[in-house]
Amino acid sequence: MSNTEFPDDELRREQEFIDGLYARVDVLRGDAETSVGDALAQGDKPMQARLERDILVAERSGLLAALNAVDGSLCFGRIDLASGTTHHIGRIGLRADDAEHTPVLIDWRAAVARPFYLATGHTPMGLRRRRHIATEGRTVTHLHDEILDLGDATRTGHEDHNGDAVLLAALNSARTGRMGDIVRTIQADQDRIIRAPHRGVLVVEGGPGTGKTAVALHRAAYLLYEHRELLARRAVLIVGPNPAFLGYIGEVLPSLGETGVLLATVGELFPGVRATAADTPEAAAVKGRAEMADVLAEVVRDRQALPDPALAIEHDREVLMLDDGLVGVARERTRAAKLPHNASREYFEGHILNTLTELYAERVGTDPYDGSSLLDASDITQIRDELAENPEVWSAIDRLWPRITPERLLADFLAEPEGYLGEEDAAAIRRPVTRAWTVADVPLLDEAAELLGEDDRPARFRADRERETQIAYAQGVLDVSYASRTYEFEDKEDGDPDGSEVLSAHDIIDAERFAERQEEADHRSAAERAAADRTWAFGHIIVDEAQELSPMAWRLLMRRCPTRSMTLVGDPAQTAEAAGVGSWSEILAPYVEDRYEHTRLGVNYRTPSEIMDLAAAVVRAGRPDFRPPSSVRSTGVRPWVRREGADLPGAVAKAAAELAPVEGRLAIIAPRRLHRAIAARLDGVTAGAEPDLTRPVVLLDPRQSKGLEFDSVLVVEPAEYGTSDLYVALTRATQRLGVLHTGDLPEPLARRDE
């Protein structure tokens, strides 16, 4: 970059620094790609080299992901210390190639970078200047300097007395349909939450627009930086309310150089099941109750049956009767082991075989004169072994203590819930066995899996057989190698010409170790392995819209995090799900009692004061003591409310044309029943599918809009929403809000009706 292109000395110096950073990044990227290629070419090396390759691939692939993710916005700030030292702040850290590996770019999560977010003129934290660097691609476009040491007379010409200029520029920028990171503009109250100690449960409460989701995501990135070894091994789970929301936030962590995080909804947390159907609110409420754990436990116990009538088992021309008394004893002894149903079946099998052995031995091995036994221990063992080969015995065991999958148990229960629930609740959840799974089913499946456990004997048997096959194959390869080497030796006219000993593969490795070396290493990341393992224990869990989760969903999540290292973000005022708990104490008391930290974000960065005043009035009509978050900005544009006639879809299309921003996104939030009619009047808008939030206009219902933000929002028929849903819908806009209706309105909206 020449001086003619950058006549300003400060801009030129920063551009030269940025150019140097990207030159370094390009070298690192090239080195990483070469290292990955070289490592992958080592597949035929001994086991140690294979392990080293696996580690190298993981590390280098992570580096590649980080470098690619931050391309274009690598450095965003600089701090000048009173001591004369200067540090540039960026998304990842980079060091020089000198002997000391001097830091060139400081990772935003490092302790030395913290004054960039916390320093003020009153508490400068050793800084004399803070600089914000704006870039487009790799080009510096703007500098914004804040003077923190007023005694320093040095000026650069880029000073701005408005300390919030960078923040306000970010807030007013057009939305893209994807959440952006806030790494440039983290505020002091947000920074304290992001860097909170990694232990126990942290609850972050905040109203609409307070940035709680962004704070939670940046906290995930910070924890992965601060506790890399632990969390890279155990992974971090982020739970969101719906797939659209996960797509919306999906680029935040990669932009911060972190890719090893699992994002999922509750409906995706049972491997092999993806919830696609919808429950009625009544059904979701019943399924979400904590009492369902006891109901499912009762369902499992009922599968441990007693014979009615007694079961007759023919063995070697004798008929042995298994009545409810004998089976009852075996059942109680098995239950006493306090193991899950499937895992305890082995004990039940043993008790039944012992019972049948005693019956048969008494029948054929008792002296008719004095009643003494004619059989010794070896005879008893032989009888038991023969009974264990009798198909009728196993048929009886399968009837009395069947192996059950969670899917089968829950499907059967939902098809016939009578006897376990009251008539009204049973009617709410009853459905055919063939019905697809719902989100509310997934915690029940997980609970069933805990109650059932797994009888791993068949899997162990298959693994042993497969291993035996691999060893036999390896032995064959070694035998061929040995035969070939022996033939080569015997084919020589004079034997071994130099008298040296000829070694074969048999001399340096046996078949078992040779088979081990051919096993494929697991190259999946911790997050990928966690997604496939229901019993995985995460290092940390972050839950967004936590107030919406049911008690059964919380049981699932607590099982996934035995250490209770969690960050929960939400707003009880926005609770809309029928099964949602909506109270932090009710959520957490069963697991940590009152041992959790609670903090609140009270500043609304998203919603202008004109819109927030209207939304707060809707809630305050039913809750006079309601206190909304304080908006930091005003646009001067008041929201409007209009009554329409018969052609509501046409009015929506006309209003959408008025509200649609030149840049950015418009959301039409309407009851689901109107979606098809509205979509038919709008080009490029579809109904019924997961919304594509990157399109200029999207059509949502209130629940789908949770956690999202748009430049403009059009709310349709607000009288059909509950208060919480309406509050959510009204607070999605960053610039303009319109409301269309045909019927009556809540009083605060009616006063605004034109």
Side-chain angles (χ1 to χ4, degrees):
M1 192 67 65
S2 67
N3 285 341
T4 55
E5 294 173 287
F6 264 107
D8 184 286
D9 287 344
E10 288 294 324
L11 280 170
R12 177 178 54 78
R13 278 194 287 269
E14 293 295 1
Q15 185 63 55
E16 289 173 350
F17 177 80
I18 295 292
D19 289 341
L21 282 182
Y22 280 109
R24 186 179 304 277
V25 166
D26 291 338
V27 171
L28 286 173
R29 183 181 286 115
D31 288 347
E33 291 169 347
T34 301
S35 298
V36 171
D38 292 346
L40 291 173
Q42 298 176 9
D44 296 328
K45 297 290 185 179
M47 180 60 72
Q48 183 62 37
R50 288 171 65 99
L51 290 174
E52 292 174 356
R53 180 204 70 183
D54 296 342
I55 295 170
L56 181 62
V57 168
E59 291 177 347
R60 293 301 189 183
S61 296
L63 176 59
L64 274 177
L67 293 175
N68 290 332
V70 302
D71 196 15
S73 54
L74 186 59
C75 175
F76 55 81
R78 192 182 87 181
I79 51 177
D80 298 348
L81 279 65
S83 62
T85 304
T86 296
H87 295 302
H88 280 85
I89 312 299
R91 298 174 181 276
I92 61 174
L94 291 175
R95 293 179 176 271
D97 295 329
D98 54 25
E100 292 77 21
H101 297 290
T102 306
V104 176
L105 184 66
I106 303 297
D107 192 299
W108 67 276
R109 297 165 287 191
V112 71
R114 197 170 191 191
F116 181 80
Y117 300 108
L118 298 184
T120 65
H122 184 266
T123 309
M125 300 179 69
L127 302 190
R128 62 183 182 86
R129 182 189 308 274
R130 171 170 47 216
R131 167 169 290 176
H132 296 269
I133 303 172
T135 59
E136 289 184 6
R138 300 187 178 192
T139 302
V140 178
T141 60
H142 184 70
L143 302 179
H144 174 89
D145 287 344
E146 296 177 66
I147 303 300
L148 300 174
D149 180 3
L150 299 180
D152 185 351
T154 304
R155 295 292 182 268
T156 65
H158 296 281
E159 289 78 17
D160 190 330
H161 297 295
N162 183 2
D164 293 328
V166 175
L167 172 63
L168 292 174
L171 297 178
N172 286 315
S173 62
R175 270 41 190 175
T176 64
R178 292 288 181 261
M179 176 180 275
D181 64 70
I182 59 170
V183 66
R184 301 168 179 265
T185 59
I186 294 172
Q187 302 301 292
D189 57 340
Q190 297 172 332
D191 184 82
R192 282 188 286 272
I193 295 171
I194 290 169
R195 299 175 191 263
H198 173 236
R199 58 177 179 268
V201 177
L202 173 64
V203 174
V204 183
E205 183 178 329
T210 54
K212 54 188 181 295
T213 297
V215 167
L217 294 172
H218 287 69
R219 176 163 170 75
Y222 172 76
L223 293 176
L224 284 163
Y225 172 84
E226 193 72 8
H227 307 279
R228 177 72 62 188
E229 183 177 353
L230 169 64
L231 296 183
R233 185 174 67 251
R234 299 309 313 165
V236 172
L237 169 65
I238 297 179
V239 180
N242 54 58
F245 175 83
L246 294 181
Y248 176 65
I249 68 171
E251 296 177 5
V252 173
L253 284 168
S255 77
L256 301 175
E258 299 295 347
T259 57
V261 176
L262 176 62
L263 277 68
T265 65
V266 170
E268 297 168 328
L269 289 178
F270 193 89
V273 168
R274 188 174 183 85
T276 57
D279 270 315
T280 64
E282 295 77 15
V286 173
K287 292 177 181 180
R289 294 175 189 162
E291 293 79 7
M292 288 300 298
D294 296 328
V295 170
L296 290 176
E298 184 180 355
V299 173
V300 171
R301 288 174 69 86
D302 284 350
R303 298 302 188 272
Q304 300 162 0
L306 296 177
D308 183 22
L311 296 175
I313 297 174
E314 184 176 348
H315 182 73
D316 196 19
R317 296 190 299 276
E318 296 287 342
V319 177
L320 308 176
M321 302 300 294
L322 274 177
D323 59 28
D324 58 354
L326 294 174
V327 175
V329 171
R331 183 174 72 172
E332 293 311 310
R333 288 177 178 174
T334 303
R335 287 176 174 176
K338 298 188 181 303
L339 292 174
H341 173 87
N342 289 331
S344 62
R345 175 177 157 122
E346 183 176 3
Y347 292 86
F348 184 75
E349 294 170 358
H351 290 309
I352 292 297
L353 285 171
N354 290 341
T355 298
L356 292 172
T357 300
E358 292 173 5
L359 290 174
Y360 186 81
E362 184 178 354
R363 185 81 57 84
V364 303
T366 302
D367 190 310
Y369 297 104
D370 60 11
S372 62
S373 176
L374 301 175
L375 305 175
D376 59 19
S378 63
D379 295 326
I380 299 297
T381 300
Q382 182 178 350
I383 292 171
R384 193 181 191 280
D385 291 343
E386 291 171 352
L387 282 165
E389 296 178 358
N390 187 334
E392 290 190 25
V393 173
W394 293 106
S395 177
I397 290 173
D398 286 339
R399 289 179 60 184
L400 300 170
W401 200 285
R403 290 189 181 93
I404 316 172
T405 65
E407 294 88 341
R408 171 51 56 187
L409 182 82
L410 185 59
D412 290 346
F413 164 67
L414 293 175
E416 297 184 25
E418 293 79 7
Y420 300 101
L421 297 171
E423 182 177 344
E424 186 176 340
D425 289 345
I429 70 170
R430 187 189 305 111
R431 72 177 192 213
V433 172
T434 56
R435 181 80 177 272
W437 299 113
T438 69
V439 172
D441 291 333
V442 169
L444 301 184
L445 286 168
D446 197 72
E447 189 72 29
E450 284 292 306
L451 293 167
L452 294 172
E454 184 177 355
D455 184 354
D456 63 350
R457 287 176 297 165
R460 291 203 313 265
F461 176 77
R462 289 192 298 270
D464 290 343
R465 290 293 299 272
E466 183 177 349
R467 180 166 176 75
E468 290 172 2
T469 301
Q470 292 173 342
I471 291 174
Y473 177 78
Q475 185 64 57
V477 172
L478 292 175
D479 290 344
V480 170
S481 173
Y482 177 75
S484 174
R485 191 72 179 104
T486 302
Y487 174 81
E488 179 185 349
F489 176 78
E490 292 178 349
D491 195 46
K492 294 182 179 180
E493 295 181 359
D494 300 324
D496 188 355
D498 59 2
S500 62
E501 182 179 358
V502 178
L503 296 177
S504 72
H506 278 284
D507 297 309
I508 58 177
I509 193 171
D510 58 25
E512 186 171 353
R513 294 193 63 193
F514 186 57
E516 287 178 356
R517 293 185 178 184
Q518 307 314 306
E519 294 177 0
E520 284 295 325
D522 190 345
H523 296 296
R524 294 177 301 170
S525 68
E528 291 169 330
R529 285 182 282 122
D533 184 355
R534 190 194 69 82
T535 63
W536 188 275
F538 288 91
H540 192 80
I541 293 181
I542 292 174
V543 185
D544 203 304
E545 303 293 352
Q547 77 281 350
E548 302 287 11
L549 270 59
S550 71
M552 289 303 296
W554 283 112
R555 287 177 65 87
L556 179 155
L557 290 178
M558 291 298 175
R559 279 194 285 269
R560 299 294 196 276
C561 191
T563 61
R564 305 291 189 258
S565 177
M566 310 177 85
T567 301
L568 314 181
V569 298
D571 179 14
Q574 297 184 60
T575 305
E577 296 293 340
V581 178
S583 164
W584 304 121
S585 59
E586 289 182 41
I587 290 171
L588 296 171
Y591 307 102
V592 296
E593 296 179 344
D594 61 351
R595 299 187 303 277
Y596 63 91
E597 186 175 346
H598 179 275
T599 186
R600 181 174 177 83
L601 293 168
V603 178
N604 187 333
Y605 298 100
R606 175 205 303 145
T607 316
S609 58
E610 294 85 356
I611 296 176
M612 197 64 217
D613 289 345
L614 180 63
V618 169
V619 180
R620 201 175 283 121
R623 292 172 48 192
D625 61 341
F626 174 69
R627 296 178 60 188
S630 302
S631 296
V632 300
R633 64 195 180 96
S634 170
T635 60
V637 180
R638 289 166 56 84
W640 53 260
V641 180
R642 286 205 299 257
R643 181 185 295 270
E644 295 295 339
D647 185 16
L648 182 60
V652 170
K654 181 180 178 181
E658 297 173 8
L659 283 172
V662 177
E663 291 183 299
R665 301 293 179 269
L666 165 68
I668 301 171
I669 302 177
R672 188 61 67 94
R673 68 176 182 84
L674 296 173
H675 280 203
R676 289 189 179 279
I678 292 173
R681 307 291 285 269
L682 295 167
D683 293 335
V685 175
T686 57
E690 283 295 332
D692 179 0
L693 300 178
T694 63
R695 298 190 66 83
V697 180
V698 294
L699 180 59
L700 309 168
D701 64 36
R703 303 287 173 89
Q704 289 177 310
S705 71
K706 290 184 79 69
L708 309 181
E709 61 181 32
F710 305 89
D711 299 87
S712 300
V713 170
L714 179 63
V715 177
V716 182
E717 294 290 32
E720 297 188 23
Y721 310 159
T723 300
S724 295
D725 282 339
L726 181 54
Y727 181 53
V728 169
L730 294 174
T731 54
R732 300 304 97 192
T734 65
Q735 302 294 337
R736 296 190 294 171
L737 171 69
V739 179
L740 290 179
H741 69 102
T742 58
D744 295 334
L745 287 173
E747 180 58 29
L749 294 182
R751 288 197 299 268
R752 193 66 61 90
D753 194 342
E754 297 177 357

